Amino acid sequence: MVCKKKELKLTTLDLNNINLVQKLQKRCEDKVWKNESLIHLLKEGSGFGFVLSEGFTGIGYILARSLQFELEILSFGVLSSYRRMGFGSILFKEIEKFIIINKKSKLILEVNSQNNKAKNFYKSMGLDEIRVLSKYYKTDNGQEDGLMMSKLYF
């Protein structure tokens, strides 16, 4: 018996698939954005994103916004059963294509300082830690520090 891998599909985030992003955020245990926030990001906030699917199953997403000279990743997740298989890299590289085409000089993001898996992924993509954001994230146990990370493009 031969097992055929399902086809990957990368879709641009639009008003028709924001519900899928919210489902992915929940399943990734990320903060789930409200409909109004996603609609505002897409319509007025210079935001965009991508959804990665395998067959008919959403497996990851990335949300970003384009600023004057830089791009900020706002939310990014891949389902745990699909991690460490290159799917996060596919989404990240799609963002990098946007950066290069639109001549942005910098990519920035914030990540919880306790999230070692995410920090290691971002470092593998070439990002550097640039500063600690003291008590940046609210948690059930109080507050945790964040890290600002960035990558420069020329």
Side-chain angles (χ1 to χ4, degrees):
M1 180 169 88
V2 176
C3 185
K4 185 178 178 186
K5 191 169 186 170
K6 294 179 184 173
E7 186 177 322
L8 289 178
K9 182 178 178 185
L10 187 70
T11 308
T12 302
L13 179 65
D14 61 28
L15 298 178
N16 296 314
N17 59 11
I18 59 175
N19 290 337
L20 177 56
V21 168
Q22 292 168 317
K23 287 177 187 175
L24 286 167
Q25 286 176 324
K26 184 174 184 177
R27 291 188 61 203
C28 290
E29 298 181 4
D30 292 336
K31 178 185 177 222
V32 178
W33 287 42
K34 295 179 182 175
N35 276 355
E36 305 82 46
S37 298
L38 285 167
I39 291 168
H40 177 78
L41 177 70
L42 293 174
K43 287 187 166 185
E44 301 172 29
S46 64
F48 67 100
F50 300 99
V51 177
L52 185 62
S53 301
E54 185 180 49
F56 295 105
T57 304
I59 60 173
Y61 72 94
I62 192 164
L63 302 177
R65 69 177 172 160
S66 179
L67 305 169
Q68 187 173 1
F69 299 111
E70 58 195 27
L71 183 129
E72 180 179 17
I73 293 178
L74 301 169
S75 185
F76 182 20
V78 174
L79 296 178
S80 60
S81 59
Y82 288 89
R83 291 182 187 156
R84 302 200 52 79
M85 299 170 74
F87 299 121
S89 296
I90 291 169
L91 288 161
F92 190 88
K93 288 175 182 173
E94 201 62 30
I95 290 293
E96 288 195 305
K97 286 180 193 175
F98 178 92
I99 290 169
I100 292 164
I101 290 167
N102 292 281
K103 298 181 171 120
K104 302 293 180 184
S105 60
K106 188 179 191 182
L107 170 78
I108 59 170
L109 59 83
E110 295 90 27
V111 63
N112 188 309
S113 64
Q114 302 300 309
N115 189 342
N116 291 320
K117 290 178 182 177
K119 289 189 314 187
N120 290 335
F121 171 77
Y122 294 132
K123 287 179 182 178
S124 78
M125 294 289 109
L127 279 82
D128 295 311
E129 295 178 14
I130 56 172
R131 88 176 116 125
V132 174
L133 305 167
S134 182
K135 299 179 182 178
Y136 188 76
Y137 290 100
K138 292 179 185 174
T139 67
D140 294 337
N141 301 326
Q143 295 178 316
E144 292 180 353
D145 291 345
L147 288 175
M148 180 168 282
M149 299 183 77
S150 74
K151 182 175 180 179
L152 299 177
Y153 297 83
F154 299 98

